[in-house]
Every structure is written in C-alpha cells, then in structure tokens.
Amino acid sequence: MALLVVVFLIFRIGLASVIPLSIDEAYAVVVSRSHSLSYFDHPPIGFALARFMADIFGCECRLVVRLPYVLLGSASALLLFALTRYAYGAVAAFWAVAWYTVAPFFLISAGHFVVPDGPLDFFLLAAACLAAPMLLGAETRFALLRWCVAGVALGLALMSKYQAGLFGISALLVLLLTKPGRDQLRTAGPWVAGAIAALGLLPVIIWNMDHGWISLAFQSGRGTANEGHLLHPGNLAVTLLGQALYVWPPIWLVAMACLWRGAWAGSATDRFFVLLSALPVVFFDLVALFSAHSLPHWSMSGFLFAFPLVGQWCGAFSMRRRTLLIVSIVLAAAVVPLLATGFAVQATTGALTRPFFQRAPKFDVNWQLVDWSGLTDSKVADEIRRANGYVVASNWMQAAKLGYELGPDIPVDVLPGDPRHFQFMDHRRLASQTAGFFIGAMNFRDDEAAQEKAYRDNLGGLFVVDGDARHITQRISGFPVFDMLILPVKRVAPPLSKADGQPAGGQP
C-alpha cells in the first residue's frame, strides 16, 4: 500500500509541475493576493494554502502553489487506509486505497489542483478516523481528547468547503441512529466537538456579514436555477455520468450497490459508512434533478466514504475472482495516468493535433487550458509595467489567467457582470495607474470581427478605446492556440478605491 501511495505521489508531483494552472487555480492564486477572511466562492483554506506557499517561497510557480494539495491527497490515502483497516481489516483497506488512488477525481483534481476538495477530503477523513473508535468499537480511552481533535478537523473542513456541512449532518445522524452514537451523546465529547467545529464557520460568517451574505447567496443560487422547469432529468443523467467517470465507472456501480445494500441489510459498521456517504450523494442528485445546472463533483465528498465499503466488497470478491479484480485495478492504474499524461502533453505541446491542423481546432485546447505566456514572450507585460498601466478583463475567468501570467505588480480590473471575488480585492492601486489595456481571448473562428466588436461594446460607458488594436497569438511549442486582442483604453471616470467603501472600476 505504501509503495502505491508513493508511486502516485511522484506521478502527481510530475503532473503538478507541467500542467498549466486551470482557470479555478489561477483565480485562487490571484484573488488570494488580497488576504481575506473568506472568499466569494469558498471558505478560506482552499485558497489560503496556495497563498501561504506563494508568500513563503516568493513564487507563484505551479508546483509551489499546488504542493500542499498534492501532499494532502497522499495523506488522505493514508487516513482512508487507517479508517478502513479499523473497520474491515487490512485487505479491505488495501482495496479501498487502491481504488481511491486511481479514481480520476481524487487523483487529478482533489489530489492535485488548487481547489478546496483536497483540504476538505483530508479534514473529513481525519474527523472520521478520530471518531471511529468511539462509534465503531465503543472505545473510551482518550475519548474526550479524540472528540476535541475531531472537532478541530471538522472545523477546518468547514473552513475548506461548504459541503462539510453535509458531513456534519451525517455525523449527527450517526450519533442519533446508532447505539454507540447515542451512548456517546450521553458524554461531553460530541458536544464539545460540535462547539469546536462551529468555530470553523466564524470566518465565513464574519466575511459574509460584511458583504451582504453574497457568498451564501451565490452558492445556493447555483443549485436552484431551474430555468422555468420543475424537473431536469437530462441534467441528472449528465450528473450521474459525470460521477461515474470521476469515480471510475465499474467502481461507481459497486459503490452505489454497496450503499444500497448497506442501508437495508448491512452491518452496524456498514451503516456507519452509509450514513456518512449517502447524504451528499442523494442531496446533490436531487439538486441535479430539480436544477438546470449542477456539477458532478459536488457529491464526491460522499463517495469518499463509500471507498471503505468498496474495499470490503473487493476483499470478498477477491476470494472468488482474484484474477479479474487484479486485471481491473491494473487496467485502471494504467488508463487513468495515461489519460492524465496525454492531457499534460497536449496542454503543453499540442502534439496530438498539430500534425493534422495548422492551428488549434474548436475541440482542442483553448485559452482556458493553457498559459497565456504570449504576453510575456512578446514583451507586452513589460510595456504595461513601463506605462504604469493596468489591465481590463471581460470576466473573472480571463482576469484569472491574465492576473496569474502578468504577476502581482499589474492590477487587473474586471468589467461588470460576473467579477466574482475580484470585486472585493484591494483596488487602491488602480487609482494611480495611468494607462489601461483591455486584453481578451479570441478563439479561432470565422467571426473574429464579431468577437472583437462584442468586446468593444462591453467596454461602453466605462472605458473608451484610445489607440489601435493589436493581436497576439498564443502558441504552445509553436502551435497556435488562440489570439489575444489588446486595446489601449482610458477610463471614463476615475475609479473609487475600496478604501472609499466602493469597488473600483465601476464594478458592482
């Protein structure tokens, strides 16, 4: 098991050092330059770990900002092994960790990217490991200390991602619906743990109180947009398919079957994991059914606690069809890393499509998936610095890519519409910057003139174009991926700094 964890740790470190930062990652790195109790999208820890590394090392390099998330992914595998071994034995623990390690979501996203899922999973597993001896084995040694530390872990999970609240509800159900749980409720431990965990909500509550509860409104609105229809079975189907791909299709089926069997005919230990796992899965599947938009990864914290059940099933299945099980895990352990490696190669070289196309086709890598290094390669970034300039972006996604590529010394303003946390950053420097440059990504299409006109129209009322347009082509290893439109602009009215109590640059 240790060899498996180490091998995949090395693999993920390699990926972390070469794959360009995604939009969400660049966004986390850029907006966390303005330190905050919490953020528009998420509680603080998911962003703060990357910022801590960047500040310590004085570098926002890929591997530096990703390293905490990579290490937490491997540490989560060790916690999962310990939890499953305590519940079902070493054989089940091995299989649980094996499938967790190769599951695409936990290998690539939660165990690699600068996203809140990695810290969330680690702290949830830590809380479960600390509480399991009292809830599965009725152990009383150091019970109060264990509960206190479990409360700290759950509090840190709540500071990582809002989904931790569902784990808290699941934990309460375990305490209420199981005999060991009810026995523990007669002691001080769970109550102290709950009080400690609640402290993890304080940064989020304080920040939201100061910002009109905007973060909670945004997240709740994402799951309630129904677009005029009560049910959305198509969205549910897409969500289920996404879950299967994220977990690995055969194991997703096994996990769902184990949850069903554990709920109706399982042992007390099975029901412990069912209660921890089922609520996020069922809740977000219902959200997908009643909402027009949802994301499959929202339920992954539930599937995390299905892996012990999968490990137990695999341990029993290996007694009958050991060869089939070994072939299955070897196939997954080969295919998933191969796909990840293929993506890394394509995102950095375009090697899979460049022999057949002169420039990136619509289905290929685009501005969202590659670095915007053309800005520095063409000396545009140096020009903006010499002009004491700032950059204007059309939305938060392009602002994230621009801000990461240009570095912290060039401020970025975002047009109204969807600025996300950019509207709450410290914009005081914008008042002193004299030259504005609008920069927008333009995919290779037949209507490039229409794309440019749309960008110009969006500037209306806030900025006026003050010079000739330029185009820079972003290339990876010489292969054209997209164009960047650069427009010199002047602000119509001077910005109000955040110190004046208003967002800068006309932002809402």
Side-chain angles (χ1 to χ4, degrees):
M1 191 281 298
L3 178 62
L4 180 71
V5 172
V6 170
V7 168
F8 275 86
L9 171 61
I10 295 171
F11 174 71
R12 285 185 289 111
I13 288 175
L15 286 181
S17 64
V18 297
I19 293 181
L21 262 64
S22 67
I23 288 175
D24 288 341
E25 292 181 286
Y27 172 73
V29 172
V30 172
V31 300
S32 64
R33 291 169 182 165
S34 290
H35 296 280
S36 178
L37 275 178
S38 190
Y39 294 90
F40 177 89
D41 316 72
H42 297 292
I45 287 182
F47 291 8
L49 288 176
R51 178 48 44 196
F52 173 78
M53 294 293 288
D55 290 348
I56 289 295
F57 287 92
C59 170
E60 294 178 346
C61 311
R62 299 167 185 164
L63 181 57
V64 167
V65 297
R66 283 171 169 164
L67 189 58
Y69 307 84
V70 172
L71 295 177
L72 285 177
S74 296
S76 294
L78 299 177
L79 290 177
L80 180 62
F81 181 86
L83 179 62
T84 309
R85 182 176 60 180
Y86 186 87
Y88 296 121
V91 174
F94 168 80
W95 286 111
V97 171
W99 288 115
Y100 163 85
T101 301
V102 300
F105 177 80
F106 297 99
L107 171 64
I108 304 300
S109 182
H112 174 215
F113 289 154
V114 180
V115 292
D117 301 272
L120 171 73
D121 293 344
F122 173 79
F123 292 124
L124 291 182
L125 284 168
C129 284
L130 288 160
M134 289 83 75
L135 297 174
L136 296 179
E139 293 186 13
T140 58
R141 289 184 306 164
F142 310 112
L144 181 58
L145 177 60
R146 284 178 173 271
W147 278 116
C148 289
V149 183
V152 172
L154 180 54
L156 292 172
L158 289 167
M159 290 177 64
S160 299
K161 198 169 185 179
Y162 292 114
Q163 274 90 327
L166 292 176
F167 177 88
I169 298 174
S170 297
L172 180 60
L173 291 176
V174 171
L175 291 168
L176 292 173
L177 299 179
T178 66
K179 185 180 184 304
R182 291 190 294 271
D183 291 341
Q184 286 297 312
L185 283 175
R186 298 187 184 97
T187 70
W191 306 99
V192 174
I196 294 173
L199 296 176
L201 292 173
L202 281 181
V204 174
I205 292 174
I206 293 172
W207 187 88
N208 272 276
M209 286 178 64
D210 195 37
H211 295 87
W213 305 101
I214 191 170
S215 181
L216 302 182
F218 166 72
Q219 290 293 1
S220 61
R222 297 176 76 188
T224 57
N226 57 29
E227 295 186 352
H229 299 282
L230 177 62
L231 299 178
H232 296 268
N235 187 51
L236 174 60
V238 171
T239 296
L240 294 175
L241 177 61
Q243 290 174 358
L245 294 175
Y246 285 163
V247 176
W248 191 243
I251 297 307
W252 179 80
L253 290 172
V254 172
M256 297 298 282
C258 288
L259 289 174
W260 181 265
R261 184 189 65 179
W264 299 105
S267 65
T269 302
D270 294 343
R271 285 192 290 273
F272 171 81
F273 289 109
V274 169
L275 287 170
L276 293 181
S277 179
L279 181 59
V281 174
V282 172
F283 177 80
F284 286 114
D285 284 351
L286 289 175
V287 167
L289 178 61
F290 288 96
S291 173
H293 306 287
S294 63
L295 296 174
H297 76 274
W298 289 351
S299 61
M300 288 298 109
S301 62
F303 282 102
L304 178 67
F305 289 98
F307 281 109
L309 296 169
V310 170
Q312 183 204 31
W313 182 88
C314 288
F317 187 76
S318 66
M319 303 297 292
R320 306 188 304 272
R321 304 289 297 273
R322 182 178 181 84
T323 301
L324 177 60
L325 194 59
I326 292 176
V327 169
S328 299
I329 189 65
V330 170
L331 180 65
V335 170
V336 176
L338 182 63
L339 291 174
T341 302
F343 173 78
V345 170
Q346 184 64 10
T348 53
T349 68
L352 302 179
T353 48
R354 65 190 307 153
F356 312 102
F357 300 92
Q358 292 184 340
R359 60 184 187 178
K362 291 181 180 180
F363 60 82
D364 201 0
V365 292
N366 54 33
W367 65 265
Q368 302 182 42
L369 301 175
V370 302
D371 290 330
W372 290 31
S373 57
L375 292 171
T376 48
D377 293 342
S378 61
K379 309 300 182 183
V380 170
D382 293 336
E383 177 186 346
I384 297 173
R385 292 187 183 94
R386 288 195 301 268
N388 189 33
Y390 62 92
V391 168
V392 180
S394 63
N395 55 52
W396 70 273
M397 294 182 289
Q398 295 196 26
K401 301 296 281 189
L402 284 168
Y404 180 74
E405 184 62 40
L406 296 174
D409 56 333
I410 297 179
V412 180
D413 204 357
V414 186
L415 295 177
D418 188 13
R420 301 289 174 98
H421 195 82
F422 281 100
Q423 63 190 300
F424 301 116
M425 294 181 68
D426 187 348
H427 290 285
R428 285 174 290 186
R429 282 189 303 160
L430 285 172
S432 64
Q433 308 298 94
T434 57
F437 296 84
F438 173 84
I439 302 178
M442 299 180 64
N443 291 321
F444 294 135
R445 299 192 315 217
D446 296 333
D447 59 345
E448 291 185 7
Q451 292 182 70
E452 180 172 337
K453 182 179 183 301
Y455 279 138
R456 289 175 177 267
D457 291 344
N458 288 340
L459 292 169
L462 297 174
F463 299 90
V464 294
V465 178
D466 187 39
D468 296 332
R470 285 183 289 168
H471 291 262
I472 294 176
T473 299
Q474 175 62 52
R475 304 172 186 271
I476 50 175
S477 298
F479 184 55
V481 177
F482 69 95
D483 277 344
M484 280 177 266
L485 170 68
I486 302 177
L487 298 172
V489 296
K490 282 188 176 180
R491 196 184 300 275
V492 173
L496 291 172
S497 72
K498 196 176 179 193
D500 297 324
Q502 305 253 358
Q507 295 175 9

